[in-house]
């Protein structure tokens, strides 16, 4: 049952054994498990739709499926997560490929033999390319930040061309202050494999992501209330366990200070035909304001031809108090602050903090679902059956 929330807080939660704050992948996975075991669950979300950041909808004007909060590609090595989600959706194979524009030229991304060969102007064997990178990669035996890590992985020339400007735009932070792990999300390949991800399972849900959530939350044991903020509604909540997937700093009234988040402004445009001939084009140069352009119809080629096309230019910036928090920035001061919030969270014995916002972690969808499966077994279920 889905309703938009002007009901009083009491009726929102009437009869609930469990309250779930946030209808994204973490919240929906926990709610679905609880409902299947016969518990009654009230799910609230302050947005007017389910799905969290994975929400998709069909644009009425063009018929094209849009990923409202930026393109979402499903990829994982976890058979457990695939088996679980496959209860709610069929899949279409989809291998994501990304191109990047640097200095007026186009290269495949992530960096692979084709990128290196195009960049240097000579066809290199894997051994030659490794030697070329090694020649430019010295100086950081124990890389301590994104810049040092990137240079040690791909050498300074490729770092300068493809990573420095893009990262500076995307994080609005000097790459030498960012954690090294961010760059290890990108593979470096000494082959002509130009897929963006290396995972065993790479695919798209047949009918979009929102359809998955509608099925996950369809149980009569689940009541979904949209347009309801926990901080307005919690006064009327019964004393039952809560799964909270909003920002952890907000839960505690930001009493230890605000955690750093990056938000993205998506500028949508409609054009005739095909705009860029691929799903995602990155823009590596610092003097181009946007980081990348996504063209949505290329994420679902099996849907056939469309006369028009919808693109989104992405502009990244620090999230202010009213902005959607998307990416945890995770500077050293953020990590220290988050440790403080984690200690406060440990005192909330009947609240489970989860998901990207609740644990201040850069989680992909499969990781958010995997974390929710574990949280259900280890934390939420024990609270309900105690
Ligand atoms: P969310 O989806 O953020 O859900 C949390 C929900 O809680 C939100 O709906 C929010 O409105 C609600 N909420 C917050 N505070 C409150 C409150 N006070 N009261 C009520 N409700 C509240 N992952 C991939 O696997 N592949 C990709 O290609 C990919 N691309 C991405 C691109 C972008 C631009 C972004 C931002 C993320 C991307 N991700 C991708 C990550 C993916 O979005 C997350 O893994 C997933 O959304 C995490 O689910 P979640 O439930 O933790 O959080
Ligand atoms: N990155 C880059 N150039 C690119 C693509 C990625 O410098 O063309 C860097 C950037 O710092 C980014 C990181 O690699 O944050 C990880 O890339 P991914 O695509 O996973 O980033 P996301 O869009 O999820 O932040």
């Amino acid at each position: 049952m889905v309703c938009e929330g002007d009901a009083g807080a009491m009726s929102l939660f009437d009869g609930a054994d469990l309250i779930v704050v946030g209808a994204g992948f973490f919240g929906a996975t926990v709610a679905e498990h609880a409902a299947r075991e016969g518990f009654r669950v009230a799910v609230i979300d302050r947005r007017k739709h389910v799905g969290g950041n994975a929400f998709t909808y069909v644009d009425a004007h063009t018929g094209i499926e849009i990923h409202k909060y930026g393109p979402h590609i499903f990829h994982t090595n976890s058979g457990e997560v695939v088996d679980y989600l496959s209860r709610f959706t069929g899949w279409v194979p989809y291998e994501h490929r990304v191109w990047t524009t640097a200095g007026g030229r186009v290269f495949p991304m992530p960096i692979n033999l084709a990128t290196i060969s195009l960049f240097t102007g000579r066809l290199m064997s894997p051994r030659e390319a490794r030697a070329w990178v090694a020649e430019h990669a010295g100086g950081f035996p124990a890389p301590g930040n994104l810049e040092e890590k990137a240079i040690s992985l791909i050498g300074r020339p490729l770092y300068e061309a493809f990573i420095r400007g893009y990262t500076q735009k995307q994080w609005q932070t000097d790459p030498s202050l960012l954690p090294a792990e961010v760059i290890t999300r990108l593979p470096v390949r000494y082959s002509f494999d130009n897929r963006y991800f290396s995972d065993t399972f790479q695919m798209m849900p047949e009918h979009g992501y929102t359809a998955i959530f509608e099925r996950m939350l369809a149980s009569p044991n689940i009541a979904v209330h949209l347009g309801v903020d926990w901080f307005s509604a919690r006064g009327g909540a019964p004393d039952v366990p809560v799964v909270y997937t909003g920002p952890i700093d907000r839960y505690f009234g930001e009493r230890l200070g605000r955690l750093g988040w990056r938000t993205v402004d998506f500028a949508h445009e409609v054009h005739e035909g095909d705009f860029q001939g691929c799903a995602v084009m990155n823009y590596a140069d610092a003097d181009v304001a946007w980081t990348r352009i996504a063209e949505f119809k290329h994420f679902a080629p099996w849907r056939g031809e469309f006369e028009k096309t919808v693109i989104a230019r992405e502009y990244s910036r620090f999230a202010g108090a009213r902005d959607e928090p998307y990416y945890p920035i995770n500077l050293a001061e953020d990590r220290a602050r988050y440790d403080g919030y984690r200690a406060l969270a440990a005192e909330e014995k009947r609240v489970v903090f989860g998901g990207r916002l609740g644990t201040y972690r850069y989680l992909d969808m499969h990781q958010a679902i995997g974390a929710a499966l574990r949280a259900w077994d280890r934390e939420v279920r024990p609270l309900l059956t105690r």
Side-chain angles (χ1 to χ4, degrees):
M1 180 179 73
V2 178
C3 16
E4 287 207 10
D6 49 5
M10 197 58 208
S11 59
L12 288 180
F13 302 122
D14 255 1
D17 303 306
L18 174 69
I19 295 171
V20 172
V21 181
F25 268 120
F26 191 98
T29 301
V30 172
E32 190 277 329
H33 277 75
R36 205 161 5 113
E37 293 206 11
F39 298 103
R40 281 159 306 171
V41 190
V43 177
I44 64 165
D45 201 298
R46 64 190 180 85
R47 289 173 173 163
K48 295 268 171 78
H49 58 73
V50 295
N53 285 345
F55 173 68
T56 48
Y57 65 96
V58 173
D59 174 53
H61 177 51
T62 59
I64 294 167
E65 179 178 84
I66 310 294
H67 300 214
K68 178 167 172 146
Y69 303 97
H72 277 66
I73 297 105
F74 186 79
H75 58 97
T76 185
N77 289 320
S78 166
E80 184 195 18
V81 169
V82 171
D83 286 348
Y84 176 63
L85 271 195
S86 302
R87 296 174 180 204
F88 313 104
T89 186
W91 300 98
V92 182
Y94 174 88
E95 290 186 325
H96 192 43
R97 286 185 170 76
V98 172
W99 303 87
T100 188
T101 304
R105 295 168 64 206
V106 176
F107 302 84
M109 177 59 63
I111 288 163
N112 62 72
L113 269 188
T115 322
I116 299 172
S117 294
L118 282 167
F119 184 78
T120 57
R122 56 197 175 97
L123 176 62
M124 288 199 198
S125 69
R127 196 163 49 81
E128 287 166 334
R130 277 181 204 280
W132 183 84
V133 165
E135 201 182 302
H136 296 94
F140 304 107
N145 59 55
L146 190 154
E147 178 166 284
E148 294 177 1
K149 184 75 188 176
I151 293 172
S152 68
L153 284 171
I154 56 173
R156 191 174 283 277
L158 295 173
Y159 167 73
E160 304 265 344
F162 299 118
I163 307 297
R164 190 172 60 185
Y166 187 95
T167 299
Q168 180 76 48
K169 282 191 291 186
Q170 191 167 11
W171 295 93
Q172 316 246 290
T173 301
D174 192 289
S176 68
L177 297 173
L178 289 166
E181 310 87 78
V182 172
I183 201 66
T184 57
R185 291 169 58 82
L186 273 188
V188 181
R189 300 205 190 94
Y190 291 96
S191 70
F192 285 99
D193 178 356
N194 64 354
R195 294 170 309 154
Y196 204 66
F197 303 109
S198 309
D199 305 64
T200 319
F201 304 100
Q202 304 191 32
M203 51 229 197
M204 287 293 208
E206 197 177 1
H207 301 294
Y209 290 98
T210 302
I212 300 184
F213 289 91
E214 284 163 354
R215 295 189 68 181
M216 289 175 88
L217 298 169
S219 161
N221 286 341
I222 299 179
V224 181
H225 302 281
L226 298 173
V228 177
D229 192 308
W230 173 239
F231 300 102
S232 314
R234 68 174 163 183
D239 182 21
V240 297
V242 173
V243 172
Y244 174 81
T245 71
I248 188 166
D249 51 353
R250 185 156 180 235
Y251 185 91
F252 294 105
E254 295 173 0
R255 74 177 81 151
L256 305 178
R258 290 190 62 215
L259 293 166
W261 294 96
R262 199 161 60 72
T263 195
V264 180
D265 296 320
F266 299 99
H268 286 193
E269 295 166 20
V270 177
H271 294 269
E272 294 298 322
D274 195 346
F275 181 78
Q276 62 183 13
C278 65
V280 171
M281 177 69 74
N282 287 357
Y283 286 83
D285 298 332
D287 59 359
V288 177
W290 52 90
T291 50
R292 60 183 184 184
I293 298 179
E295 183 165 5
F296 294 103
K297 66 182 177 185
H298 293 306
F299 292 98
W302 66 92
R303 299 235 163 94
E305 298 289 319
F306 293 88
E307 241 171 69
K308 294 186 186 291
T309 193
V310 183
I311 65 158
R313 284 176 216 270
E314 297 189 13
Y315 300 84
S316 185
R317 59 182 173 79
F318 279 121
R322 286 164 194 272
D323 294 316
E324 290 287 351
Y326 288 140
Y327 294 93
I329 296 178
N330 242 326
L331 300 182
E333 73 235 38
D334 291 316
R335 287 196 291 276
R337 199 163 274 152
Y338 176 63
D339 285 344
Y341 282 122
R342 224 171 40 167
L344 291 174
E347 296 305 310
E348 300 278 307
K349 301 290 182 210
R350 309 250 291 160
V351 182
V352 173
F353 291 79
R356 191 178 251 231
L357 303 168
T359 55
Y360 195 61
R361 278 170 62 209
Y362 197 124
L363 297 178
D364 275 326
M365 294 180 282
H366 63 282
Q367 294 167 317
I369 296 161
L373 295 173
R374 288 190 298 279
W376 166 252
D377 274 342
R378 296 179 194 166
E379 299 178 75
V380 186
R381 196 167 182 279
L383 279 176
L384 291 170
T385 51
R386 186 170 287 165

